[in-house]
Amino acid sequence: MLTRRALLAAGAVTAGVLGMPQLLSRGVADAYVPTRRTVQPTAPFLRPMPVAPVLEPVSTRDGTDVYRIPIRNTSAEILQGIQTPLLGFAGQFAGPTIRARTGRPTQLTVTNEIDVPVNVHLHGGRTPADSDGHPMDVILPGKSRLYTYPNQQQGTTLWYHDHNMDTEAEHVYRGLAGAYIIEDPCEEYLGLPRGDYDVPIMLRDIQFDANGDLVVFDDVRKRTTILANGVSRPYFPVAARKYRFRLINTANDRTFQLSLSAGQLTQIGTDGGLLPAPVQVRTLELSSAERADVVIDFSRFPVGTKIELSDPVAGTILRFDVTRRVLFDFSRVPDKLRELPPMPRATVERDVNLSFDFSQLPSGGPVLGEINGKPYDDNRIDFTIKRGTTEIWTITSTDPPGVRHTFHMHLVQFRVLDRNGKPPLQSDAGLKDTVYLTAGETVRVQATFVPYTGRYLYHCHFLEHAMDGMMAQMNIVP
Ligand SMILES: [Cu+2]
């Protein structure tokens, strides 16, 4: 396994020889230039898109659902005829889906059956600090760890993934990610598609070399194989009716611009839950770790219609094949979904600057990811926040053109107030825990820090950036 130090050294050597533009394309700091459609090694639409099985609780005592998940070495056939060694929750690529319920706690015991430390973070979860998967709070090989998720938040789509110090990027890339859906009893009256018609889709990219071996850290632009639920360019048979798709971008470093070849994407929710009203979107922007809850209505398409979900850089990602008619579809998308919670008045303002420090490059030193001019230090608390306070954070990226970031705060769901002084984009709408910034952008977000105290992270969710130091800690105090 490549250590952070080795990666940084490799980056510096490459950069020294080829200059900064090359360095910027390495994933240490990436210039993501959508210049060509990518060539993918496996023929498209050979396999159906799998839907990860929903994990069964081992017990449901006292109103708590108890789950057990081992982390295992596994493999999957991504390229035809080749088993690629991977990591998997419960040995599955991607991991099993957990369906929790608002107000009903989840207890998750995770056993580390591999030979390096791991841990689990529930992304977007309002979680006590000791269950938040702090990078230094790890599960050693052979050990187990109990995580408690109170699920005291409205219905939404979260995901769980490794957050271990220095190896998070590699572990997530190798497969340690799964969907975590919170179902909310008070949203059931809305009549949105459910059951078999409520389908999580985890999107990501992956790179193979000419021999079909997995490449972990190279140029992020070479991660040209795009996976939907672990399969490259699958088809998904659908009935001619409405479906709810919960799109989760689990890629380490990629921003999708998703669109359909026919029909409409109706966005109903985002990172933290439902939008106030459905929105028709022509192009859906989804950066690393963001989620979008969408409804697609296939009812007007005849059986035999094929509709592609694609991205201008990645090409076709997935094809929906309308294979059957249905007699009834009682699901609906009401004009009003769910009001956003009121925003209390903010009493504290803070600035958060995301940047790379290239100053050591000429002498062959590492490029450091920094927040407010400092790389991550586990012994340093960057912000101390009084529990219950509402704050406005002005997040700025001051990196050169081409370098992008995606800013994530643990514990809270925030609201984007404005972007570059202008109204937020559609991709900023609703309750958010992750927000995308291109070079030079400034985004103001507002959050209320409840209900737990303790140490939480905020960081760039391009995971290689976080690994290079673009993380910081806030301590929520009583
Ligand atoms: Cu970043």
Side-chain angles (χ1 to χ4, degrees), residues 28-30 253 354-356 369 397 399 403-407 437 459-466 470:
V28 175
D30 47 294
D253 184 340
L354 308 176
S355 65
F356 281 106
S397 161
D399 273 326
V403 182
R404 314 147 304 127
H405 300 296
T406 176
F407 182 74
L437 289 97
H459 60 94
C460 183
H461 216 290
F462 290 141
L463 294 181
E464 283 85 344
H465 297 193
M470 205 174 284

Side-chain angles (χ1 to χ4, degrees), residues 38-75:
T38 53
V39 180
Q40 300 199 34
T42 304
F45 318 128
L46 291 179
R47 292 164 58 191
M49 181 183 76
V51 178
V54 175
L55 195 66
E56 286 294 326
V58 292
S59 123
T60 54
R61 266 197 317 256
D62 304 326
T64 297
D65 295 325
V66 179
Y67 296 92
R68 284 187 212 288
I69 298 189
I71 289 176
R72 290 183 177 144
N73 290 299
T74 187
S75 67

Side-chain angles (χ1 to χ4, degrees), residues 311-379:
D311 168 274
V313 178
T316 301
I317 293 168
L318 164 65
R319 193 182 70 191
F320 299 104
D321 292 1
V322 181
T323 57
R324 61 195 194 277
R325 300 221 65 82
V326 287
L327 281 179
F328 303 106
D329 175 9
F330 295 114
S331 71
R332 60 196 187 102
V333 181
D335 293 339
K336 286 195 170 146
L337 294 166
R338 184 167 184 161
E339 285 302 316
L340 295 170
M343 287 204 289
R345 195 173 65 86
T347 55
V348 175
E349 297 206 16
R350 299 182 196 270
D351 291 321
V352 176
N353 178 246
L354 308 176
S355 65
F356 281 106
D357 177 2
F358 299 104
S359 65
Q360 294 183 58
L361 258 187
S363 56
V367 173
L368 291 176
E370 295 182 342
I371 295 183
N372 289 350
K374 295 171 186 166
Y376 180 78
D377 182 346
D378 191 61
N379 296 312

